[in-house]
Amino acid sequence: MEVESETQELHIHVNGEPERKSSTEQRSHNYSWRLRVSLYVILLLAGETIATLLGRLYYDKGGNSIWLETLVQLVGFPLTLPCYYYIKHESSSKTNNLTNKTTTSFLTLALVYIGLGLLAAGHSVLYSFGLLYLPVSTFSLISASQLAFNAVFSYFLNSQKFTPCILNSLVLLTISSTLLVIQPEPESSTSNSSSKYSYVIGYICAIGSSAGYSLVLSLTDYAFEKILKKYTFKAILDMVTYQSFVATCAVVVGLFVSGGWKMLRTEMKEFTLGENSYIFINIGAMISWQACWIGSVGLILEVSSLFSNVISTLCLPVVPVLAVVFFRDEMSGIKLIAMFLAIWGFVSYAYQHYVDDPKQEDEQEIPQGEEEEKETQEEKSNNIQD
C-alpha cells in the first residue's frame, strides 16, 4: 500500500498537476493549519481596525494629503523581507524532493503582479478619499458592501454560486448602504466633509473602494488557483511584496506629479498633535496595513477570497463603536438600522460559507474514489491478461 501511494503521488507530480488545497476534514485535524488561519485572522482584524482609526485620526488632527494616506497603506512591504531568509533556510532542507513542480513564466508573473498592484493602488486612493470625506463610522458601514461585490466577482472568477443566503445578504447589504445616503443631513467629522457634495463624493469613493478591494481579492484567489498554482507562505510573501511594490511606485508617481509632496513638511509642522505624533501615526498605520495585507492574502491562500472578505467584515460592529468613543461620531437611528442590516447580511453570508464546506469536501472525495476504482479495475484486467 505504501508503494502504491508513493507511485500515485509521483504520477501526479510528473504529470504536472499542482498540489491542491487540503480538504476541510484534513485541515480541521491539522493543528498547524488552524494555527496559521488563526494568526491570519488576528492580523487582518487587528490591522484593519487600527489602520482605519489611525487614518481617521490623521485627518481629524490636520492631515490632508490623500497621497500620503494612500502611500501609508502600501509602503510597508519591506517589513516582510526578513521572512524570506527564514523561508530560504527552511527550503534548503527540502532540496531532495523528487517532485517536478509547475513553473510560471516571468512575463506571466510580471503581468499578474503589475495588474494586481495597479488595482490595489486604485482601491487605496478611493479608500483615502472616502475616509477623508466621511465619518469613520459611516465609512465602515458602507465598506460592508464589499461582501456584495465579492459575491458578484466570485461568481464570474471563482465559480461562486448564488444561493438564497447569498442573495439575502446582497439585498441586506445594499439596503444598508443605501440608508446611509438618504440621511437627513450629512455628518461632518472635519471641515473637509461639511458639504453635501463632499459627502456624496465620499460615499461614491467608499463604494468604489469596496468594489476595488473585492475585485483584488477575487483576482488574487484566481491567480493562486489558475496561474501561480502554489500554496506556500513564500507565495503569500511574493504576492504581498511585489503587488505592494507596484502599487507603491504608482502612488509615489502620483504624489510627485500632483505636487502633494511639497506640502508634507508644512502639514507636519501644523499637525495638531505635533510632529512626533504625525510620524508615529503614519508609521503605526503603515505597520497595521501591512499586517492586514498579509492576513488577507494568507486567508485567501489557506481558505478562499470569500472567507477573507467575510473575516474583514467582522470589523463592521467594532469600528463604528470605537469611532463613537474616540471621535465622538454620532450614532443616529439610521446608522443603527444600517449596522443591524449589515450584520444580518454578514451572518447570512458567513452561514453560506459554513454550509458550503462539507459540500466541497464531498465533491473532492467523490472523484478520488472514482479514480481509485478505475485504477483497481485496470490492475485486475492487466493481471488477467498476464
Side-chain angles (χ1 to χ4, degrees), residues 370-386:
E370 292 177 354
E371 291 179 358
E372 290 177 357
E373 290 180 0
K374 290 181 181 179
E375 290 178 358
T376 54
Q377 289 177 359
E378 291 177 357
E379 289 178 359
K380 289 180 180 180
S381 61
N382 292 333
N383 292 332
I384 292 174
Q385 292 177 357
D386 295 336

Side-chain angles (χ1 to χ4, degrees), residues 7 64 147 181 196 247:
T7 56
N64 293 302
L147 278 179
V181 184
K196 182 66 176 180

Side-chain angles (χ1 to χ4, degrees), residues 27 49 134 151-152 155 181 205 210 218-219 224 236 253 264 270 286 299-300 336 371 384:
R27 293 181 301 186
T49 301
L134 294 176
V152 176
Y155 175 80
V181 184
C205 290
S210 298
S218 296
L219 287 175
F224 276 128
I236 299 176
V253 170
L264 294 182
E270 297 177 354
M286 177 189 69
L299 290 177
I300 292 174
L336 290 174
E371 291 179 358
I384 292 174

Side-chain angles (χ1 to χ4, degrees), residues 41-51 288 291 315:
V41 168
I42 293 173
L43 289 175
L44 176 56
L45 291 178
E48 184 174 357
T49 301
I50 296 173
S288 300
C315 296

Side-chain angles (χ1 to χ4, degrees), residues 154-185:
S154 295
Y155 175 80
F156 292 103
L157 297 174
N158 312 121
S159 301
Q160 175 68 43
K161 297 179 180 180
F162 283 117
T163 64
C165 287
I166 290 181
L167 290 176
N168 178 61
S169 176
L170 293 179
V171 173
L172 292 172
L173 292 170
T174 302
I175 295 175
S176 173
S177 299
T178 305
L179 284 176
L180 296 173
V181 184
I182 61 176
Q183 294 186 98
E185 295 180 358

Side-chain angles (χ1 to χ4, degrees), residues 6-26:
E6 290 178 357
T7 56
Q8 289 177 1
E9 289 182 3
L10 184 60
H11 175 73
I12 291 173
H13 291 298
V14 167
N15 280 287
E17 296 180 4
E19 298 178 3
R20 302 297 297 171
K21 295 178 184 178
S22 56
S23 66
T24 305
E25 183 178 1
Q26 292 173 333

